[in-house]
């Protein structure tokens, strides 16, 4: 019991800020343990709850630990200025008292518990922040285009971090620092719309892609079939078959075909004059015997090359630049794909023309687009082909549903992602692709050119 007639010793622990920090730390520790129990019971399933569990609550816990010494420092300064203590009375620490011994024992026990809580929270924070759902769905509007494309892409079962971070502590730290900047941009609303591509600080493909895909492996030729439909009433189909010379290392260990470009012994470097790496101005080839050939696009000056901020060695991502986040290269290509895959009957009159026209319009939102696409195709067949509407209404409704899905996978008005915003470097139809270099316009000083020869990469069957 404190004697009110005896002045207590002055203590820097005895101040409202330090007490608040201790209370905050204690409450957050209890909440964290409660959430952990719920998680072990399988109750914790929502990723937003996960953010609270592994980021917000541990953040409050650490904030409390920081506030405690801050209050002590502030109280010390207050006392040095000769001001009265913030709180005059504080329990005396007397180990002869059973109550004091219990409190001291609690502090000794709780300290390692606190360390354990922070350690587990840190582990769980990394685990959640490395999850696909965290990457794609937490900042929903920002990442919706990329996450949607990823879910429908060929790498949908590969975790985002496997490509964007890979193994090793160095890239992990870089990614988390970059992620912190991105989170700040989301809170401030200062992120790019659309999110630009390519990612200029992406880890080299040799550290990520090549863990599964080995470019030196001999792949030989691959036949690809391309379907195109005309704008006429019959949606006339044109089928083009290409034999792609993928190549790789042949039986003698010599690189050949398209994958010649990324063989270890063929070092290809380039400089692009634009952020999207579409306008390639300079190419340097180092041959296996150490020879060097430099090619420059016609009209490019030394001053332009000096201004370029990136000199890059060619790797997988320079051609396969949309390996996981694939969008239709154009509305026409997208509709062709839907028809070819059976998502819409190709014998519906003027299907290709009317679908393209409906999908090309700029809509304010995906919801508005869905309603307008349905209205456009419904009215067309009701008015222009009433008998077709009567006899094939289910086919038309299935077509409308497929076109809505096509739109929602490729167009995101909130992020200003439109048809063809992201170049796809495989091929050379809608985007320059191969022709960024293979254009007969990149020449060396001795007159050699990077040839635009169709037979180098493929053969039309």
């Amino acid at each position: 019991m404190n004697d009110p007639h005896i002045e207590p010793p002055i203590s820097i622990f005895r101040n409202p800020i330090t007490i608040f920090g201790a209370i905050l730390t204690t409450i957050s520790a209890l909440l964290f343990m409660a959430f952990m129990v719920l998680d072990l019971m399988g109750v914790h399933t929502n990723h937003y709850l996960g953010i609270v569990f592994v980021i917000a609550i541990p953040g409050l816990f650490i904030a409390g630990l920081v506030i405690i010494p801050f209050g002590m420092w502030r109280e010390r300064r207050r006392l040095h200025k000769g001001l009265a203590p913030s709180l005059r009375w504080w329990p005396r620490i007397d180990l002869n008292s059973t109550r004091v011994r219990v409190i001291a024992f609690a502090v000794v026990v709780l300290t390692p518990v606190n360390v354990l809580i922070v350690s587990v929270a840190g582990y769980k924070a990394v685990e959640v922040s490395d999850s696909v759902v965290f990457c794609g769905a937490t900042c929903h509007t920002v990442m919706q285009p990329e996450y949607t494309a990823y879910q429908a892409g060929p790498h949908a079962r590969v975790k985002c971090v496997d490509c964007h971070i890979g193994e090793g502590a160095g890239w992990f730290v870089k990614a988390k620092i970059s992620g912190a900047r991105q989170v700040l941009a989301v809170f401030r609303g200062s992120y790019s719309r659309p999110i630009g591509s390519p990612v200029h600080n992406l880890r080299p493909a040799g550290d990520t892609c090549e863990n599964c895909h080995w470019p030196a492996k001999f792949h030989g030729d691959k036949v690809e079939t391309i379907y195109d439909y005309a704008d006429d009433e019959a949606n006339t189909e044109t089928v083009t078959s290409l034999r792609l010379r993928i190549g790789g290392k042949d039986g003698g260990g010599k690189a050949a075909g398209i994958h010649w470009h990324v063989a270890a012994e063929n070092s290809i470097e380039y400089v692009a004059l634009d952020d999207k790496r579409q306008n390639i101005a300079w190419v340097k080839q180092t041959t296996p015997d150490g020879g060097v050939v430099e090619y420059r696009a016609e009209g490019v000056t030394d001053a332009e090359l000096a201004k370029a901020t990136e000199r890059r060695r060619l790797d997988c991502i320079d051609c396969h630049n949309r390996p996981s986040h694939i969008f239709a290269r154009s509305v026409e290509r997208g509709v062709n794909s839907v028809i070819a895959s059976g998502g819409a009957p190709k014998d519906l009159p003027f299907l290709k023309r009317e679908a393209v026209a409906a999908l090309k319009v700029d809509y304010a939102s995906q919801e508005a687009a869905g309603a307008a696409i349905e209205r456009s195709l419904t009215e067309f067949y009701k008015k222009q082909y009433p008998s077709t509407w009567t006899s094939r209404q289910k086919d038309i409704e299935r077509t409308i549903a497929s076109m809505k899905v096509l739109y929602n996978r490729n167009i995101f008005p909130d992020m200003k992602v439109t048809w063809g915003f992201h170049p796809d470097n495989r091929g050379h139809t809608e985007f320059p692709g191969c022709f960024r270099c293979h254009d007969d316009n990149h020449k060396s000083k001795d007159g050699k050119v990077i040839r635009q020869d169709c037979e180098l990469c493929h053969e039309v069957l």
Side-chain angles (χ1 to χ4, degrees), residues 132-370:
V132 170
V133 175
F134 182 89
C135 295
T138 302
C139 302
H140 177 69
T141 300
V142 182
M143 293 307 299
Q144 186 186 10
E146 303 297 334
Y147 188 44
T148 301
Y150 161 82
Q151 290 175 301
H155 293 94
R157 293 189 176 184
V158 179
K159 292 176 65 176
C160 307
V161 294
D162 290 343
C163 294
H164 286 269
I165 300 178
E167 299 178 351
W171 281 92
F172 174 84
V173 173
K174 288 180 183 179
K176 296 309 175 186
I177 293 174
S178 176
R181 291 197 299 267
Q182 293 164 9
V183 169
L184 180 61
V186 170
F187 279 116
R188 296 172 55 190
S190 60
Y191 52 87
S192 300
R193 297 174 177 82
I195 298 297
S197 64
V199 179
H200 285 269
N201 60 349
L202 191 66
R203 190 168 185 174
D207 296 339
T208 54
C209 306
E210 292 184 24
N211 288 330
C212 297
H213 306 283
W214 183 28
K217 177 180 173 58
F218 182 70
H219 295 273
D221 293 347
K222 174 186 175 184
V223 176
E224 182 172 325
T225 304
I226 302 170
Y227 294 89
D228 187 42
Y229 298 90
D231 289 340
D232 56 19
E233 185 177 22
N235 305 301
T236 302
E237 182 181 75
T238 302
V239 181
T240 304
S241 294
L242 292 177
R243 177 181 285 122
L244 298 173
R245 298 192 172 98
I246 306 297
K249 289 287 187 69
D250 60 21
K254 181 180 179 182
I258 298 170
H259 280 182
W260 170 91
H261 293 82
V262 289
E265 63 270 25
N266 295 321
S267 173
I268 307 294
E269 299 172 82
Y270 72 87
V271 170
L273 299 183
D274 65 321
D275 287 340
K276 288 183 176 289
R277 298 174 181 161
Q278 297 299 293
N279 182 13
I280 294 180
W282 174 88
V283 178
K284 175 183 175 182
Q285 175 192 359
T286 303
T287 58
D289 60 3
V292 174
V293 183
E294 294 185 13
Y295 302 89
R296 184 183 296 202
E298 188 173 347
V300 173
T301 65
D302 292 338
E304 289 176 307
L305 290 178
K307 289 181 182 178
T309 58
E310 182 182 40
R311 175 170 170 171
R312 177 174 170 81
R313 177 167 178 170
L314 191 78
D315 70 9
C316 310
I317 295 299
D318 290 295
C319 295
H320 298 275
N321 65 315
R322 305 297 301 179
S324 297
H325 309 283
I326 301 173
F327 297 97
R329 300 182 187 185
S330 66
V331 61
E332 291 82 6
R333 279 284 192 105
V335 173
N336 286 341
S337 178
V338 170
I339 298 174
S341 64
K346 62 182 179 182
D347 58 344
L348 283 177
F350 287 110
L351 169 61
K352 168 71 178 294
R353 186 190 71 184
E354 294 303 312
V356 168
L359 290 166
K360 261 189 174 179
V361 178
D362 290 331
Y363 299 106
S365 66
Q366 290 187 336
E367 292 74 17

Side-chain angles (χ1 to χ4, degrees), residues 19-30:
I19 294 173
F20 171 75
I23 294 172
L24 181 63
T25 297
T26 302
I27 292 175
S28 58
L30 293 173

Side-chain angles (χ1 to χ4, degrees), residues 369-437:
I373 291 167
E374 181 173 357
R375 183 171 57 252
S376 175
L377 293 178
T378 299
E379 290 179 356
F380 173 77
Y381 286 108
K382 276 186 175 180
K383 293 179 180 179
Q384 301 299 324
Y385 292 90
S387 61
T388 301
W389 170 259
T390 302
S391 63
R392 304 188 62 184
Q393 184 172 344
K394 289 187 177 180
D395 283 341
I396 295 171
E397 289 174 350
R398 179 165 63 90
T399 297
I400 291 170
S402 296
M403 296 306 165
K404 288 181 180 180
V405 170
L406 175 64
Y407 185 93
N408 290 339
R409 282 185 177 176
N410 290 277
I411 307 301
F412 301 86
D414 289 343
M415 286 300 295
K416 299 182 181 179
V417 175
T418 58
W419 297 106
F421 172 79
H422 293 291
D424 191 331
N425 293 334
R426 294 176 307 148
H428 45 74
T429 50
E430 289 80 6
F431 304 102
C434 309
F435 290 168
R436 293 176 299 158
C437 299

